[in-house]
Amino acid sequence: MREYIAQRDDNYYVAGTRISLDSIVYAFRRGESPETICQNFELLELEQVYGAIAYYLAHKIEIDRYLTGQNRKWIEGKTKSQPLPSSLHERLARAREEIQRSRSS
């Protein structure tokens, strides 16, 4: 029997890839079909997408709890992160303006 999900460093991944189960689950929850998910993750075979979804459905409580924890970590990291220095923020704004000017010419 083929393994579709691997757990590494307390995270879940599609086995043999660096694609997180989180990505597949969120796409599935948004209503994307396995075929669409497969198109969006070109490295995956359709069988792997179905396997990941089946794993999620078979372990829904555990994975939902994991995803809640991941979301909490993301929010904590975002609130603790330092804002960009104003000089870098200004350089990015100028670069964005230059790109827009070059596209309109």
Side-chain angles (χ1 to χ4, degrees):
M1 184 170 171
R2 186 169 175 184
E3 296 276 331
Y4 293 102
I5 300 300
Q7 192 171 7
R8 298 188 305 266
D9 302 321
D10 297 325
N11 296 301
Y12 293 89
Y13 297 92
V14 176
T17 73
R18 296 175 75 186
I19 298 171
S20 70
L21 177 61
D22 310 29
S23 303
I24 306 299
V25 171
Y26 286 128
F28 177 70
R29 285 180 176 176
R30 284 191 306 269
E32 293 181 25
S33 69
E35 290 78 11
T36 300
I37 296 169
C38 190
Q39 289 172 352
N40 293 333
F41 293 92
E42 296 175 357
L43 296 176
L44 296 181
E45 299 171 12
L46 188 57
E47 177 185 355
Q48 291 172 296
V49 174
Y50 273 104
I53 293 168
Y55 183 90
Y56 167 63
L57 294 173
H59 302 89
K60 192 171 182 330
I61 293 171
E62 173 189 347
I63 299 302
D64 285 347
R65 198 174 302 133
Y66 159 77
L67 293 174
T68 299
Q70 292 295 92
N71 190 43
R72 195 173 305 118
K73 287 179 189 176
W74 185 84
I75 290 169
E76 287 173 11
K78 186 176 178 182
T79 58
K80 291 179 182 178
S81 67
Q82 299 293 323
L84 289 176
S86 61
S87 61
L88 179 55
H89 196 332
E90 290 169 9
R91 286 178 33 206
L92 290 171
R94 283 194 305 270
R96 196 174 300 119
E97 289 172 7
E98 288 179 26
I99 290 170
Q100 290 174 346
R101 275 197 300 270
S102 68
R103 287 183 180 165
S104 60
S105 9

